[in-house]
Coordinates of all heavy atoms in Angstrom, one line a residue:
M176 N 0.8 -1.2 0.0 CA 0.0 0.0 0.0 C 0.9 1.3 0.0 O 0.5 2.2 -0.6 CB -0.9 0.0 1.2 CG -2.0 -1.0 1.1 SD -3.1 -1.1 2.5 CE -4.0 0.4 2.4
A177 N 2.0 1.2 0.7 CA 2.9 2.4 0.7 C 3.4 2.7 -0.6 O 3.5 3.9 -1.0 CB 4.0 2.1 1.8
L178 N 3.7 1.7 -1.4 CA 4.2 2.0 -2.8 C 3.2 2.8 -3.6 O 3.5 3.7 -4.3 CB 4.6 0.6 -3.5 CG 5.7 -0.1 -3.0 CD1 5.8 -1.5 -3.6 CD2 7.1 0.6 -3.2
D179 N 1.9 2.3 -3.5 CA 0.9 3.1 -4.2 C 0.7 4.5 -3.6 O 0.4 5.5 -4.3 CB -0.4 2.3 -4.2 CG -0.4 1.1 -5.0 OD1 0.4 0.9 -5.9 OD2 -1.3 0.2 -4.7
G180 N 0.8 4.5 -2.3 CA 0.6 5.8 -1.7 C 1.7 6.9 -2.1 O 1.4 8.1 -2.1
I181 N 2.9 6.5 -2.3 CA 3.9 7.4 -2.7 C 3.7 8.0 -4.1 O 3.7 9.2 -4.2 CB 5.4 6.7 -2.7 CG1 5.8 6.3 -1.3 CG2 6.4 7.6 -3.4 CD1 7.0 5.4 -1.3
A182 N 3.3 7.1 -5.0 CA 3.0 7.6 -6.4 C 1.8 8.6 -6.3 O 1.8 9.6 -7.0 CB 2.7 6.4 -7.3
E183 N 0.8 8.2 -5.5 CA -0.4 9.0 -5.4 C -0.1 10.4 -4.8 O -0.5 11.5 -5.3 CB -1.5 8.4 -4.6 CG -2.7 9.2 -4.5 CD -3.9 8.4 -3.8 OE1 -3.9 7.1 -3.8 OE2 -4.7 9.0 -3.2
F184 N 0.7 10.4 -3.7 CA 1.0 11.6 -3.0 C 1.9 12.5 -3.9 O 1.6 13.7 -4.0 CB 1.8 11.3 -1.8 CG 2.1 12.5 -0.9 CD1 1.2 12.9 0.0 CD2 3.3 13.3 -1.0 CE1 1.4 14.0 0.8 CE2 3.5 14.4 -0.3 CZ 2.5 14.8 0.7
L185 N 2.9 12.0 -4.6 CA 3.7 12.8 -5.5 C 2.9 13.3 -6.7 O 3.0 14.5 -7.1 CB 4.9 12.0 -6.0 CG 5.9 11.6 -4.9 CD1 7.0 10.7 -5.5 CD2 6.6 12.9 -4.3
G186 N 2.1 12.5 -7.2 CA 1.3 12.8 -8.4 C 0.2 13.8 -8.2 O -0.1 14.8 -8.9
I187 N -0.5 13.6 -7.0 CA -1.7 14.5 -6.7 C -1.3 15.7 -5.8 O -1.5 16.9 -6.2 CB -2.8 13.7 -6.1 CG1 -3.3 12.7 -7.2 CG2 -3.9 14.6 -5.6 CD1 -4.3 11.7 -6.6
S188 N -0.7 15.4 -4.7 CA -0.4 16.5 -3.7 C 0.6 17.4 -4.3 O 0.4 18.7 -4.2 CB 0.1 15.9 -2.4 OG -0.9 15.2 -1.8
H189 N 1.7 16.9 -4.8 CA 2.7 17.8 -5.4 C 2.3 18.3 -6.8 O 2.6 19.3 -7.2 CB 4.1 17.2 -5.4 CG 4.6 17.2 -4.0 ND1 5.2 18.3 -3.5 CD2 4.7 16.3 -3.0 CE1 5.6 18.1 -2.3 NE2 5.4 16.9 -2.0
G190 N 1.6 17.4 -7.5 CA 1.3 17.8 -8.9 C 0.2 18.8 -9.0 O 0.1 19.5 -10.0
T191 N -0.4 19.1 -7.9 CA -1.5 20.2 -7.9 C -1.1 21.3 -7.0 O -1.9 22.2 -6.7 CB -2.9 19.6 -7.5 OG1 -2.7 19.1 -6.1 CG2 -3.3 18.5 -8.4
A192 N 0.2 21.4 -6.5 CA 0.6 22.4 -5.6 C 1.0 23.7 -6.2 O 1.3 24.7 -5.6 CB 1.8 21.8 -4.7
G193 N 0.9 23.8 -7.6 CA 1.3 25.0 -8.3 C 2.8 25.1 -8.7 O 3.5 24.1 -8.5
P194 N 3.2 26.2 -9.1 CA 4.6 26.4 -9.6 C 5.6 26.1 -8.4 O 5.3 26.4 -7.3 CB 4.7 27.8 -10.0 CG 3.3 28.3 -10.2 CD 2.4 27.4 -9.3
W195 N 6.7 25.5 -8.8 CA 7.8 25.3 -7.8 C 8.5 26.7 -7.7 O 9.0 27.2 -8.7 CB 8.8 24.3 -8.4 CG 10.0 24.0 -7.5 CD1 11.2 24.3 -7.9 CD2 10.0 23.4 -6.3 NE1 12.1 23.8 -6.9 CE2 11.4 23.3 -5.9 CE3 9.1 22.9 -5.4 CZ2 11.8 22.7 -4.7 CZ3 9.5 22.3 -4.2 CH2 10.8 22.2 -3.9
P196 N 8.5 27.3 -6.5 CA 9.0 28.6 -6.3 C 10.6 28.7 -6.1 O 11.1 29.8 -5.8 CB 8.4 29.1 -5.0 CG 8.1 27.9 -4.2 CD 7.9 26.7 -5.3
H197 N 11.3 27.6 -6.3 CA 12.7 27.6 -6.1 C 13.4 27.2 -7.5 O 12.7 27.1 -8.4 CB 13.0 26.5 -5.0 CG 12.3 26.7 -3.8 ND1 12.5 27.7 -2.9 CD2 11.2 25.9 -3.3 CE1 11.7 27.5 -1.9 NE2 10.9 26.5 -2.1
E198 N 14.7 27.1 -7.4 CA 15.4 26.7 -8.5 C 15.0 25.3 -9.0 O 14.6 24.4 -8.1 CB 17.0 26.6 -8.3 CG 17.6 27.9 -8.0 CD 17.7 28.7 -9.3 OE1 18.0 28.2 -10.4 OE2 17.4 29.9 -9.3
P199 N 14.9 25.0 -10.3 CA 14.5 23.7 -10.8 C 15.3 22.6 -10.1 O 16.5 22.8 -9.9 CB 14.7 23.8 -12.3 CG 14.6 25.2 -12.6 CD 15.2 25.9 -11.4
A200 N 14.7 21.5 -9.9 CA 15.4 20.3 -9.4 C 14.7 19.0 -9.7 O 13.6 19.1 -10.2 CB 15.5 20.4 -7.8
R201 N 15.4 17.9 -9.7 CA 14.8 16.6 -9.8 C 15.2 15.8 -8.6 O 16.3 15.6 -8.2 CB 15.3 15.9 -11.0 CG 14.7 16.4 -12.3 CD 15.1 15.5 -13.5 NE 14.5 16.1 -14.6 CZ 15.0 15.9 -15.8 NH1 16.0 15.1 -16.0 NH2 14.3 16.4 -16.8
I202 N 14.1 15.3 -7.9 CA 14.3 14.5 -6.7 C 13.8 13.1 -7.0 O 12.7 12.8 -7.5 CB 13.5 15.1 -5.5 CG1 14.1 16.5 -5.2 CG2 13.7 14.3 -4.3 CD1 13.3 17.2 -4.1
G203 N 14.7 12.1 -6.6 CA 14.3 10.7 -6.7 C 13.9 10.1 -5.4 O 14.5 10.4 -4.3
M204 N 12.9 9.4 -5.3 CA 12.5 8.6 -4.2 C 12.7 7.2 -4.5 O 12.1 6.7 -5.5 CB 10.9 8.8 -3.9 CG 10.6 10.3 -3.7 SD 11.0 10.8 -2.0 CE 10.8 12.5 -2.2
H205 N 13.6 6.6 -3.7 CA 14.0 5.2 -4.0 C 13.6 4.3 -2.9 O 14.2 4.3 -1.8 CB 15.5 5.1 -4.2 CG 16.0 6.2 -5.2 ND1 15.9 5.9 -6.6 CD2 16.5 7.4 -5.0 CE1 16.4 7.1 -7.2 NE2 16.8 7.9 -6.3
A206 N 12.6 3.4 -3.2 CA 12.2 2.5 -2.1 C 13.0 1.2 -2.1 O 13.4 0.7 -3.2 CB 10.7 2.1 -2.3
T207 N 13.4 0.7 -1.0 CA 14.2 -0.5 -0.9 C 13.5 -1.7 -1.5 O 14.1 -2.7 -1.9 CB 14.6 -0.9 0.6 OG1 13.3 -0.9 1.4 CG2 15.5 0.2 1.1
E208 N 12.2 -1.6 -1.7 CA 11.4 -2.7 -2.3 C 11.6 -2.7 -3.9 O 11.0 -3.5 -4.5 CB 9.9 -2.5 -2.0 CG 9.5 -2.7 -0.6 CD 9.7 -1.5 0.3 OE1 10.2 -0.4 -0.2 OE2 9.3 -1.5 1.5
G209 N 12.3 -1.7 -4.4 CA 12.7 -1.7 -5.8 C 12.0 -0.7 -6.7 O 12.4 -0.5 -7.8
E210 N 11.0 0.1 -6.1 CA 10.4 1.1 -6.9 C 11.1 2.4 -6.8 O 11.8 2.7 -5.8 CB 8.9 1.4 -6.4 CG 8.0 0.2 -6.6 CD 7.6 0.1 -8.1 OE1 7.5 1.1 -8.8 OE2 7.3 -1.1 -8.5
T211 N 11.1 3.2 -7.9 CA 11.7 4.5 -7.9 C 10.7 5.5 -8.5 O 10.1 5.2 -9.6 CB 13.0 4.5 -8.7 OG1 14.0 3.7 -8.0 CG2 13.6 5.9 -8.8
W212 N 10.7 6.8 -8.0 CA 9.9 7.8 -8.6 C 10.8 9.1 -8.7 O 11.6 9.3 -7.8 CB 8.7 8.2 -7.6 CG 7.8 7.0 -7.3 CD1 6.7 6.7 -8.0 CD2 8.0 6.1 -6.3 NE1 6.1 5.6 -7.5 CE2 6.9 5.2 -6.4 CE3 8.9 5.8 -5.3 CZ2 6.7 4.1 -5.6 CZ3 8.8 4.8 -4.5 CH2 7.7 3.9 -4.6
V213 N 10.7 9.7 -9.8 CA 11.5 10.9 -10.1 C 10.5 12.1 -10.2 O 9.7 12.1 -11.1 CB 12.4 10.8 -11.3 CG1 13.1 12.1 -11.5 CG2 13.4 9.7 -11.0
L214 N 10.7 13.1 -9.3 CA 9.8 14.3 -9.4 C 10.6 15.4 -10.0 O 11.7 15.8 -9.5 CB 9.3 14.6 -7.9 CG 8.3 15.6 -7.7 CD1 7.0 15.0 -8.4 CD2 8.0 15.8 -6.3
D215 N 10.1 16.0 -11.1 CA 10.7 17.1 -11.7 C 10.1 18.3 -11.3 O 8.8 18.5 -11.4 CB 10.6 17.0 -13.3 CG 11.4 17.9 -14.1 OD1 12.5 18.2 -13.6 OD2 10.8 18.4 -15.0
L216 N 10.8 19.2 -10.7 CA 10.3 20.5 -10.0 C 10.7 21.7 -10.8 O 11.9 22.0 -10.9 CB 10.8 20.6 -8.6 CG 10.5 19.4 -7.7 CD1 11.3 19.3 -6.4 CD2 9.0 19.3 -7.4
T217 N 9.8 22.4 -11.4 CA 10.1 23.6 -12.3 C 9.0 24.6 -12.0 O 8.1 24.5 -11.2 CB 10.0 23.2 -13.7 OG1 8.7 22.9 -14.1 CG2 11.0 22.0 -14.1
A218 N 9.3 25.8 -12.7 CA 8.3 26.9 -12.5 C 6.9 26.5 -13.0 O 5.9 27.1 -12.6 CB 8.7 28.1 -13.4
S219 N 6.8 25.5 -13.8 CA 5.4 25.0 -14.3 C 4.8 24.0 -13.3 O 3.7 23.6 -13.5 CB 5.5 24.4 -15.7 OG 6.2 23.3 -15.7
G220 N 5.5 23.7 -12.2 CA 5.0 22.8 -11.2 C 5.8 21.5 -11.0 O 7.0 21.5 -11.5
S221 N 5.3 20.5 -10.5 CA 6.0 19.2 -10.4 C 5.3 18.1 -11.2 O 4.1 18.1 -11.4 CB 6.0 18.8 -8.9 OG 4.8 18.5 -8.4
H222 N 6.2 17.3 -11.8 CA 5.7 16.3 -12.7 C 6.5 15.0 -12.4 O 7.7 15.1 -12.2 CB 5.9 16.7 -14.1 CG 5.3 18.0 -14.4 ND1 4.0 18.2 -14.6 CD2 5.9 19.2 -14.5 CE1 3.8 19.5 -14.8 NE2 5.0 20.1 -14.8
L223 N 5.8 13.8 -12.4 CA 6.6 12.6 -12.3 C 7.2 12.2 -13.6 O 6.5 12.4 -14.7 CB 5.6 11.5 -11.8 CG 5.3 11.5 -10.3 CD1 4.1 10.5 -10.1 CD2 6.5 11.1 -9.5
L224 N 8.4 11.8 -13.6 CA 9.2 11.4 -14.8 C 9.4 9.9 -14.8 O 9.3 9.2 -13.8 CB 10.5 12.2 -14.9 CG 10.4 13.7 -15.0 CD1 11.8 14.3 -15.0 CD2 9.7 14.2 -16.2
D225 N 10.0 9.5 -15.9 CA 10.5 8.1 -16.0 C 11.5 7.9 -14.9 O 12.3 8.7 -14.6 CB 11.1 7.9 -17.4 CG 11.6 6.5 -17.7 OD1 12.6 6.2 -17.0 OD2 11.0 5.9 -18.5
D226 N 11.4 6.7 -14.3 CA 12.3 6.5 -13.2 C 13.8 6.4 -13.5 O 14.6 6.3 -12.7 CB 11.8 5.2 -12.4 CG 12.0 4.0 -13.2 OD1 12.4 4.0 -14.4 OD2 11.7 2.9 -12.6
R227 N 14.1 6.5 -14.8 CA 15.6 6.5 -15.2 C 16.2 7.9 -15.4 O 17.3 8.1 -15.7 CB 15.7 5.7 -16.5 CG 15.5 4.2 -16.3 CD 15.6 3.4 -17.5 NE 14.6 3.8 -18.6 CZ 13.4 3.3 -18.7 NH1 13.0 2.4 -17.9 NH2 12.6 3.7 -19.6
A228 N 15.3 8.9 -15.1 CA 15.9 10.3 -15.3 C 16.9 10.6 -14.2 O 16.8 10.1 -13.1 CB 14.6 11.3 -15.2
E229 N 17.9 11.4 -14.5 CA 18.9 11.8 -13.6 C 18.3 12.7 -12.5 O 17.3 13.5 -12.8 CB 20.0 12.6 -14.4 CG 20.9 11.7 -15.2 CD 22.1 12.4 -15.6 OE1 22.6 13.3 -14.9 OE2 22.5 12.2 -16.8
T230 N 18.8 12.6 -11.3 CA 18.3 13.4 -10.2 C 19.4 14.3 -9.6 O 20.6 13.9 -9.8 CB 17.7 12.6 -9.1 OG1 18.6 11.7 -8.6 CG2 16.5 11.7 -9.6
T231 N 19.0 15.3 -8.9 CA 20.0 16.2 -8.2 C 20.0 15.8 -6.7 O 20.9 16.1 -6.0 CB 19.7 17.7 -8.3 OG1 18.3 17.9 -7.9 CG2 19.8 18.1 -9.8
T232 N 18.9 15.2 -6.2 CA 18.7 14.8 -4.9 C 18.0 13.5 -4.8 O 17.1 13.2 -5.7 CB 18.0 15.9 -4.1 OG1 18.7 17.2 -4.3 CG2 17.8 15.6 -2.7
G233 N 18.3 12.7 -3.8 CA 17.5 11.5 -3.7 C 17.3 11.1 -2.2 O 18.0 11.5 -1.3
L234 N 16.2 10.4 -2.0 CA 15.8 9.9 -0.7 C 15.6 8.4 -0.8 O 14.9 7.9 -1.7 CB 14.5 10.6 -0.3 CG 14.0 10.5 1.2 CD1 15.1 11.0 2.1 CD2 12.7 11.2 1.4
H235 N 16.3 7.6 0.1 CA 16.3 6.2 -0.1 C 15.8 5.6 1.2 O 16.3 6.0 2.3 CB 17.7 5.7 -0.3 CG 18.4 6.3 -1.5 ND1 18.5 5.5 -2.7 CD2 19.0 7.5 -1.8 CE1 19.1 6.3 -3.6 NE2 19.4 7.5 -3.1
G236 N 14.9 4.5 1.1 CA 14.5 3.8 2.3 C 13.3 2.9 2.1 O 12.8 2.9 0.9
P237 N 12.8 2.3 3.0 CA 11.6 1.5 2.9 C 10.4 2.4 2.4 O 10.3 3.5 2.8 CB 11.3 0.9 4.3 CG 12.6 1.0 5.0 CD 13.3 2.2 4.4
A238 N 9.5 1.8 1.6 CA 8.4 2.6 1.1 C 7.5 3.2 2.2 O 7.1 4.4 2.1 CB 7.5 1.7 0.2
S239 N 7.3 2.5 3.3 CA 6.5 3.0 4.4 C 7.2 4.2 5.0 O 6.5 5.2 5.3 CB 6.2 1.9 5.4 OG 7.5 1.4 5.9
D240 N 8.5 4.2 5.1 CA 9.2 5.3 5.7 C 9.2 6.5 4.7 O 9.2 7.7 5.2 CB 10.6 5.0 6.1 CG 10.7 4.0 7.3 OD1 9.6 3.8 7.9 OD2 11.8 3.6 7.6
L241 N 9.4 6.2 3.5 CA 9.3 7.3 2.5 C 7.9 8.1 2.5 O 7.9 9.3 2.6 CB 9.6 6.8 1.1 CG 11.0 6.3 0.7 CD1 10.9 5.6 -0.6 CD2 11.9 7.5 0.7
L242 N 6.9 7.3 2.6 CA 5.6 7.8 2.6 C 5.3 8.6 3.9 O 4.8 9.7 3.9 CB 4.5 6.7 2.5 CG 3.0 7.2 2.4 CD1 2.9 8.2 1.2 CD2 2.1 6.0 2.2
L243 N 5.8 8.1 5.0 CA 5.7 8.9 6.3 C 6.4 10.1 6.2 O 6.0 11.1 6.7 CB 6.1 8.0 7.5 CG 5.2 6.8 7.9 CD1 5.9 5.9 8.9 CD2 3.9 7.4 8.4
T244 N 7.6 10.2 5.6 CA 8.4 11.3 5.5 C 7.7 12.3 4.6 O 7.7 13.6 4.9 CB 9.8 11.0 4.9 OG1 10.5 10.1 5.8 CG2 10.7 12.2 4.7
L245 N 7.1 11.9 3.5 CA 6.4 12.9 2.6 C 5.2 13.5 3.3 O 4.9 14.6 3.1 CB 5.9 12.1 1.4 CG 6.9 11.7 0.3 CD1 6.4 10.8 -0.7 CD2 7.6 13.0 -0.3
H246 N 4.6 12.8 4.2 CA 3.5 13.3 5.0 C 3.9 14.1 6.2 O 3.1 14.5 7.0 CB 2.6 12.2 5.4 CG 1.6 11.7 4.4 ND1 0.4 12.4 4.1 CD2 1.7 10.7 3.5 CE1 -0.2 11.8 3.1 NE2 0.6 10.7 2.7
G247 N 5.2 14.2 6.4 CA 5.8 15.0 7.6 C 5.7 14.3 8.9 O 5.7 14.9 10.0
R248 N 5.6 12.9 8.9 CA 5.4 12.2 10.1 C 6.7 11.4 10.5 O 6.7 10.9 11.6 CB 4.3 11.2 9.9 CG 3.0 11.9 9.5 CD 1.8 11.4 10.2 NE 0.7 12.3 9.9 CZ -0.5 11.9 10.0 NH1 -0.8 10.8 10.3 NH2 -1.4 12.8 9.6
L249 N 7.7 11.5 9.7 CA 9.0 10.9 10.0 C 10.1 11.8 9.4 O 9.9 12.4 8.3 CB 9.1 9.5 9.3 CG 10.3 8.7 9.6 CD1 10.3 8.2 11.0 CD2 10.3 7.5 8.7
S250 N 11.2 12.1 10.2 CA 12.2 12.9 9.8 C 13.0 12.3 8.6 O 13.3 11.1 8.7 CB 13.2 13.1 10.9 OG 14.3 13.7 10.5
P251 N 13.4 13.1 7.7 CA 14.3 12.5 6.6 C 15.6 12.0 7.1 O 16.3 11.2 6.4 CB 14.4 13.6 5.6 CG 14.1 14.9 6.4 CD 13.1 14.5 7.4
D252 N 15.9 12.4 8.3 CA 17.2 11.8 9.0 C 17.2 10.3 9.2 O 18.2 9.7 9.3 CB 17.4 12.6 10.3 CG 17.7 14.1 10.1 OD1 18.2 14.4 9.0 OD2 17.4 14.8 11.1
R253 N 15.9 9.8 9.2 CA 15.8 8.3 9.3 C 16.1 7.6 8.1 O 16.1 6.3 8.1 CB 14.5 8.0 9.8 CG 14.0 8.6 11.2 CD 14.4 7.9 12.4 NE 14.0 6.5 12.4 CZ 12.9 6.0 12.8 NH1 12.1 6.8 13.5 NH2 12.6 4.7 12.7
L254 N 16.2 8.3 6.9 CA 16.5 7.7 5.6 C 17.8 8.1 5.1 O 18.5 9.1 5.6 CB 15.3 8.2 4.7 CG 13.9 7.8 5.1 CD1 12.9 8.5 4.2 CD2 13.7 6.3 5.1
R255 N 18.2 7.6 4.0 CA 19.5 7.9 3.4 C 19.2 9.0 2.3 O 18.3 8.9 1.5 CB 20.2 6.7 2.7 CG 21.5 7.1 2.2 CD 22.3 5.8 1.8 NE 21.7 5.0 0.8 CZ 21.8 5.2 -0.6 NH1 22.6 6.1 -1.0 NH2 21.2 4.3 -1.4
V256 N 19.9 10.2 2.5 CA 19.8 11.3 1.6 C 21.0 11.5 0.8 O 22.1 11.4 1.4 CB 19.4 12.6 2.4 CG1 19.3 13.8 1.5 CG2 18.2 12.4 3.2
H257 N 20.9 11.7 -0.5 CA 22.1 12.1 -1.3 C 21.7 13.4 -2.0 O 20.6 13.7 -2.4 CB 22.6 11.0 -2.2 CG 21.8 10.9 -3.5 ND1 20.7 10.0 -3.6 CD2 21.8 11.6 -4.7 CE1 20.2 10.2 -4.8 NE2 20.9 11.1 -5.5
G258 N 22.7 14.2 -2.3 CA 22.5 15.4 -3.0 C 22.2 16.6 -2.1 O 22.6 16.7 -0.9
D259 N 21.5 17.6 -2.7 CA 21.2 18.8 -2.1 C 20.0 18.7 -1.0 O 18.8 18.6 -1.3 CB 20.8 19.8 -3.2 CG 20.7 21.3 -2.6 OD1 20.5 21.4 -1.4 OD2 20.7 22.2 -3.4
R260 N 20.4 18.7 0.2 CA 19.5 18.5 1.3 C 18.5 19.7 1.4 O 17.3 19.5 1.7 CB 20.2 18.3 2.6 CG 19.2 18.0 3.7 CD 19.9 17.5 4.9 NE 19.0 17.1 5.9 CZ 18.6 15.8 6.2 NH1 19.1 14.9 5.4 NH2 17.7 15.6 7.1
A261 N 18.9 20.9 1.0 CA 18.0 22.0 1.1 C 16.9 21.9 0.1 O 15.7 22.3 0.4 CB 18.8 23.3 0.7
V262 N 17.1 21.3 -1.1 CA 16.0 21.0 -2.1 C 15.0 20.0 -1.5 O 13.8 20.2 -1.6 CB 16.6 20.5 -3.4 CG1 15.5 20.0 -4.3 CG2 17.5 21.5 -4.1
L263 N 15.6 19.0 -0.8 CA 14.7 18.0 -0.1 C 13.8 18.7 1.0 O 12.6 18.4 1.0 CB 15.5 16.9 0.5 CG 14.7 15.8 1.2 CD1 13.7 15.1 0.2 CD2 15.6 14.8 1.8
E264 N 14.4 19.6 1.7 CA 13.7 20.2 2.8 C 12.6 21.1 2.1 O 11.4 21.2 2.7 CB 14.6 21.1 3.7 CG 15.5 20.2 4.5 CD 14.9 19.3 5.5 OE1 13.8 19.6 6.0 OE2 15.5 18.3 5.9
S265 N 12.9 21.7 1.1 CA 11.8 22.6 0.4 C 10.7 21.7 -0.2 O 9.5 22.1 0.0 CB 12.5 23.3 -0.8 OG 13.5 24.3 -0.3
L266 N 11.1 20.6 -0.7 CA 10.0 19.6 -1.1 C 9.1 19.2 0.0 O 7.9 19.2 -0.1 CB 10.6 18.4 -1.8 CG 9.6 17.3 -2.2 CD1 8.8 17.8 -3.5 CD2 10.3 16.0 -2.5
L267 N 9.8 18.8 1.1 CA 9.0 18.3 2.2 C 8.2 19.3 2.9 O 7.2 19.0 3.6 CB 10.0 17.6 3.3 CG 10.7 16.4 2.7 CD1 11.7 15.9 3.7 CD2 9.8 15.3 2.2
S268 N 8.4 20.6 2.7 CA 7.5 21.7 3.2 C 6.4 22.0 2.4 O 5.6 22.9 2.7 CB 8.4 22.9 3.5 OG 8.7 23.5 2.3
R269 N 6.3 21.3 1.2 CA 5.2 21.6 0.3 C 4.5 20.2 0.0 O 5.2 19.2 -0.1 CB 5.7 22.1 -1.1 CG 6.1 23.5 -1.0 CD 6.7 24.0 -2.3 NE 5.9 23.6 -3.5 CZ 5.0 24.4 -4.1 NH1 4.9 25.6 -3.7 NH2 4.5 24.0 -5.1
P270 N 3.3 20.2 -0.3 CA 2.3 21.3 0.0 C 2.1 21.4 1.5 O 2.4 20.4 2.3 CB 1.1 20.8 -0.7 CG 1.2 19.3 -0.7 CD 2.7 19.0 -0.8
D271 N 1.6 22.5 1.9 CA 1.3 22.7 3.3 C 0.1 21.8 3.8 O -1.0 22.1 3.4 CB 1.0 24.2 3.6 CG 0.8 24.4 5.1 OD1 1.0 23.5 5.9 OD2 0.5 25.6 5.4
L272 N 0.5 20.7 4.5 CA -0.6 19.8 4.9 C -1.1 20.1 6.3 O -2.0 19.4 6.8 CB 0.0 18.4 4.9 CG 0.5 17.9 3.6 CD1 1.2 16.6 3.8 CD2 -0.6 17.8 2.6
G273 N -0.6 21.2 6.9 CA -1.0 21.6 8.2 C -2.5 21.9 8.3 O -3.3 21.6 8.9

């Protein structure tokens, strides 16, 4: 269920959040179960890309932990992060789920 939840959260919550207000970036979400999602963040918004696209930042861990992190319920410190951590923090603060 967490694997489906990640794709849904990225596609719907981030896909409808409007323009990305920061420098363009590509963030990869890599589940230890084998799935990968690449989120392309630009002035036109966020879009899921083919999982083979190059990324500037990545988050690696079990799908359940990735999903909890996207929902703000688990710190990204519990997962493996590579690349620009500031970009990841910007992503995790959007959309405002508060």
Side-chain angles (χ1 to χ4, degrees):
M176 289 177 66
L178 292 169
D179 292 338
I181 293 169
E183 182 175 332
F184 188 86
L185 293 174
I187 294 172
S188 295
H189 284 283
T191 61
W195 177 247
H197 309 287
E198 290 293 317
R201 283 192 181 155
I202 299 179
M204 301 283 165
H205 309 279
T207 55
E208 293 85 353
E210 294 285 332
T211 294
W212 302 267
V213 175
L214 195 59
D215 190 40
L216 304 164
T217 67
S219 67
S221 66
H222 310 281
L223 283 171
L224 299 177
D225 183 292
D226 65 359
R227 293 179 296 273
E229 287 190 38
T230 61
T231 56
T232 303
L234 191 59
H235 303 258
S239 59
D240 289 354
L241 289 171
L242 186 57
L243 288 170
T244 300
L245 288 169
H246 280 279
R248 305 223 171 156
L249 185 69
S250 168
D252 294 334
R253 301 272 310 265
L254 302 169
R255 186 167 58 91
V256 177
H257 79 267
D259 189 342
R260 187 166 183 99
V262 170
L263 178 62
E264 293 295 334
S265 294
L266 174 75
L267 296 176
S268 69
R269 289 178 43 98
D271 182 5
L272 300 173

